[in-house]
Amino acid sequence: MNRSRSMVSNFNGALRIRSTVSGLLSGIVLVVLCLAVGAAQAQNAGVVASKEIELTISGSGARQVPVAVVDFVGGTSQETDMGMEIARVVRNNLSRAGLLRTIEPHMHPQDARAALANLQYPQWQLAGSDNVITGRIKISQYGRLNVEFFLSDTVRRNQLMALSFSTMVNNWRRVGHVISDQVMKRLTGEDGAFDTRIVYVAESGPKTRRIKQLAIMDQDGGNHRILTSSDLLVTTPRFSPASQEITYVALQGSTWRVFIYNLETGQQEVISDFPGRPTAPRFSPNGDRMVLSIHLNGNTDLYEVDLTTRSRKRLTKSQGIDTAASYGPGGRRLVFESDRGGNQQIYVQSLDTGETRRISRGEGRYAAPVWSPTGEWIAFTKQKDDKFFIGIMRPDGSDERLLTSGFVAESPTWAPNGRLLAYYKQAPTEFGDSMETALYAVDLFTYQERLVLTPSDASDPAWSPRLR
Amino acid sequence: MPRLSLLLLPLVLILAACNPANQAALNGDGSAANGGLPTQELSSYGAQPAVMPGGLTASASGFDGPVQPGSQRDLQRFASDRILFDTDSTRINQQGYALLTQVAQWMRSNPQVRLLIEGHADERGTREYNFALGDQRATAVTQTLISLGVAPSRLSAVSYGKERPEVAISQPGAWSANRRAVLLVM
């Protein structure tokens, strides 16, 4: 097998971004603005103590930057429709961003064409919109889409940003996501995670014969598709942080196998042709290695697989269950759960020295830790008093915060910006004989939780790295 | 209306299984006194597998007809194809050991039989941990059978974690039925 580990993303056709700061338009002034970034960072989450457990509750204390997204202007009806759709994608993204607040279209003082031609700053400022996004689109006879977009500051009365994009027409949603990331960065100083995707397990059928398929969608639910057939039972998909590859565990006959699915080629590859029963695989930060659990000779331990040579190295030898490992940002440290001390707790192990330290300290069971891409936090699932919680703690175990709870709440996954966390929650239905299973995401700045809509029940989300 | 009663049925059955006084409501053949219910639905709530063996793997024909030696139904009748576990435990308890002793004896009488041992967990654990728990349970059953004289080559194992509950209800009674190892005749 000649597997190249350094991948160049080319999903759905390349998207070229051309900055037109000095070219396309005259009079563009790029001013570095210190908008409400400080205020946004200064806000703290409201923490409320319940009877038994502290739960950091939802609610935004931040000043949200107001922005209006005007429909993009086109010449033909196809262009006009697509211009409205792209604006809608941007509007939905930004309204969910926590730090931003979008102005309802019916509050816009100018229509799209007028706003694009001659933006009346005072009118927009009066309408409460400190920032306005306008744009125009053109579709060539060869099916190529060209989009120009402009971000204007109505308070300082200048243009902050002008960009032009060129891509294939069927890639139009990505244009909306890229614009959203650009606006987010410009107005808040924070990296967005709009130009990303989420894989998850689409669930259907009765609980005792559940059908579980790998599915993928844009982070906002768009471009949804199912990737695996219904006869393959799929669990615990994980994105490579370095490429458009997914690893997951699936049942074939009576054997669980670890697969790698390449989204660009559609190829699937089994990598678990070794003794023992494998679970819980996860890629290293640069995607050249994988950590997983193998049940062998009556014990479940962590192993590391070199994906180039396929050589295997045993990492733990404890009595008990060592599983659900995740790499730290440099790839030289692991966080994992183990019941070696009696019940499930979280441990950090150095891959260089082997030194291992328990970091979870609170009451209850701690499981499935996931290191954030920035290294600042470790997300985890906690079980206490017959409930599941999703929480975060520092890599030394300090500063534990619980973000949400449920009958079941597990499988946290980090967006590449390290401030959005997705997971799934499950609750019994009215009659108690089946479950509602759905994805949620929480923003660590605002602590706002939102439902991520999927066509069917959904579990085990895994966030992609940024698309390139 | 028929749909509603189907939904309520499992609740009734769980209550029946939890309360010994309600056992009288079941006929000897496992059907409900007043409902004409399918046999396999009732037998799947075996809190006591020695008394009510079998489950979803029972054939649609139920327990009628001749039993093929060395078949799944033969195993269910002679011993059990279900071993239950305590919460978060991988230990074979006394009842489980007694059943596995019978299974080992049955394996001696049916030397052609191979078993797939499935380890299962209830829904009150995290997914990865439950896979490992199911693995440990399947291994515990395997090692017990080996210690009772069954050749290792006749046994294979798989964990289903919490992916394949036998009882769909989210209640403690269902959870105890789902913490199980299932012995499948290959």
Side-chain angles (χ1 to χ4, degrees), chain A residues 8-22:
Chain A
V8 179
S9 273
N10 190 23
F11 182 74
N12 252 358
L15 179 66
R16 280 208 312 259
I17 304 176
R18 186 157 49 95
S19 174
T20 56
V21 169
S22 59

Side-chain angles (χ1 to χ4, degrees), chain A residues 5-286:
Chain A
R5 301 299 313 167
S6 57
M7 295 270 173
V8 179
S9 273
N10 190 23
F11 182 74
N12 252 358
L15 179 66
R16 280 208 312 259
I17 304 176
R18 186 157 49 95
S19 174
T20 56
V21 169
S22 59
L24 193 67
L25 296 149
S26 56
I28 297 169
V29 187
L30 275 167
V31 184
V32 179
L33 293 177
C34 302
L35 285 175
V37 179
Q41 285 167 338
Q43 64 94 18
N44 269 317
V47 176
V48 163
S50 71
K51 271 180 204 148
E52 312 232 294
I53 203 144
E54 277 200 344
L55 193 61
T56 310
I57 57 154
S58 301
S60 168
R63 188 182 98 82
Q64 295 174 307
V65 180
V67 56
V69 185
V70 182
D71 288 342
F72 288 16
V73 174
T76 66
S77 64
Q78 189 198 3
E79 288 169 350
T80 304
D81 288 350
M82 190 165 281
M84 289 171 71
E85 290 301 319
I86 291 174
R88 184 172 299 151
V89 166
V90 176
R91 210 175 286 132
N92 287 342
N93 278 342
L94 298 184
S95 65
R96 287 188 282 98
L99 299 179
L100 299 169
R101 179 168 57 83
T102 55
I103 307 296
E104 291 292 319
H106 67 84
M107 300 289 287
H108 293 182
Q110 285 183 287
D111 70 22
R113 210 165 284 278
L116 180 69
N118 185 15
L119 194 70
Q120 295 298 314
Y121 293 120
Q123 291 181 26
W124 287 90
Q125 195 187 351
L126 209 62
S129 187
D130 293 0
N131 303 277
V132 179
I133 293 167
T134 52
R136 73 166 66 91
I137 91 165
K138 189 151 188 59
I139 299 170
S140 80
Q141 55 179 321
Y142 308 109
R144 217 150 164 91
L145 171 67
N146 288 285
V147 179
E148 292 168 12
F149 104 94
F150 313 98
L151 173 63
S152 305
D153 181 336
T154 65
V155 180
R156 287 172 177 77
R157 304 194 176 179
N158 56 17
Q159 206 162 55
L160 301 177
M161 192 178 254
L163 290 173
S164 126
F165 306 94
S166 169
T167 186
M168 296 307 291
V169 168
N170 64 6
N171 212 15
W172 65 269
R173 297 189 94 261
R174 250 202 99 183
V175 175
H177 295 321
V178 171
I179 290 174
S180 303
D181 277 332
Q182 295 281 344
V183 171
M184 179 81 173
K185 183 76 182 174
R186 193 71 186 77
L187 294 185
T188 71
E190 294 296 327
D191 290 321
F194 299 115
D195 191 24
T196 58
R197 294 179 288 172
I198 293 174
V199 290
Y200 71 94
V201 172
E203 300 194 10
S204 57
K207 222 169 141 182
T208 52
R209 295 189 308 277
R210 202 73 164 148
I211 294 167
K212 295 183 143 200
Q213 295 168 272
L214 192 64
I216 190 165
M217 60 189 179
D218 291 358
Q219 49 75 30
D220 65 346
N223 284 329
H224 184 274
R225 62 196 170 108
I226 300 276
L227 298 175
T228 55
S229 67
S230 58
D231 53 6
L232 197 66
L233 188 69
V234 173
T235 72
T236 59
R238 313 287 179 223
F239 245 109
S240 165
S243 67
Q244 294 298 313
E245 286 181 297
I246 302 159
T247 182
Y248 60 92
V249 185
L251 187 69
Q252 276 188 322
S254 59
T255 306
W256 291 95
R257 293 200 161 90
V258 176
F259 287 82
I260 292 180
Y261 188 112
N262 187 318
L263 281 166
E264 283 152 4
T265 63
Q267 278 181 335
Q268 293 181 72
E269 199 185 335
V270 175
I271 66 126
S272 57
D273 288 329
F274 39 73
R277 308 203 286 272
T279 49
R282 202 181 281 275
F283 286 103
S284 64
N286 65 4

Side-chain angles (χ1 to χ4, degrees), chain B residues 5-166:
Chain B
S5 40
L6 268 179
L7 287 167
L8 289 172
L9 174 64
L11 280 175
V12 175
L13 293 175
I14 272 287
L15 290 174
C18 294
N19 185 352
N22 283 346
Q23 298 288 337
L26 310 179
N27 289 332
D29 65 350
S31 66
N34 56 355
L37 302 169
T39 305
Q40 56 268 40
E41 288 219 51
L42 285 169
S43 56
S44 66
Y45 293 90
Q48 297 157 339
V51 182
M52 293 202 290
L56 295 179
T57 52
S59 67
S61 61
F63 293 99
D64 299 330
V67 175
Q68 206 65 270
S71 68
Q72 191 74 34
R73 271 177 58 204
D74 191 29
L75 172 61
Q76 288 167 0
R77 259 162 58 133
F78 189 86
S80 171
D81 59 2
R82 293 286 186 287
I83 306 296
L84 299 186
F85 291 83
D86 297 335
T87 303
D88 203 19
S89 169
T90 62
R91 205 177 61 83
I92 306 287
N93 59 27
Q94 230 173 8
Q95 192 184 25
Y97 191 83
L99 287 172
L100 288 175
T101 308
Q102 289 173 282
V103 171
Q105 191 188 333
W106 181 81
M107 292 289 279
R108 272 194 295 280
S109 318
N110 297 280
Q112 81 289 356
V113 167
R114 297 187 72 248
L115 287 181
L116 173 65
I117 297 150
E118 302 177 349
H120 296 267
D122 67 31
E123 66 189 7
R124 302 312 290 153
T126 47
R127 197 178 312 286
E128 297 92 337
Y129 181 77
N130 277 0
F131 272 122
L133 200 58
D135 271 324
Q136 311 274 57
R137 284 174 177 162
T139 296
V141 169
T142 305
Q143 286 174 346
T144 303
L145 285 175
I146 291 171
S147 75
L148 291 166
V150 179
S153 60
R154 297 174 68 192
L155 305 170
S156 52
V158 62
S159 170
Y160 279 85
K162 59 175 171 177
E163 306 305 310
R164 283 288 179 264
E166 185 160 294

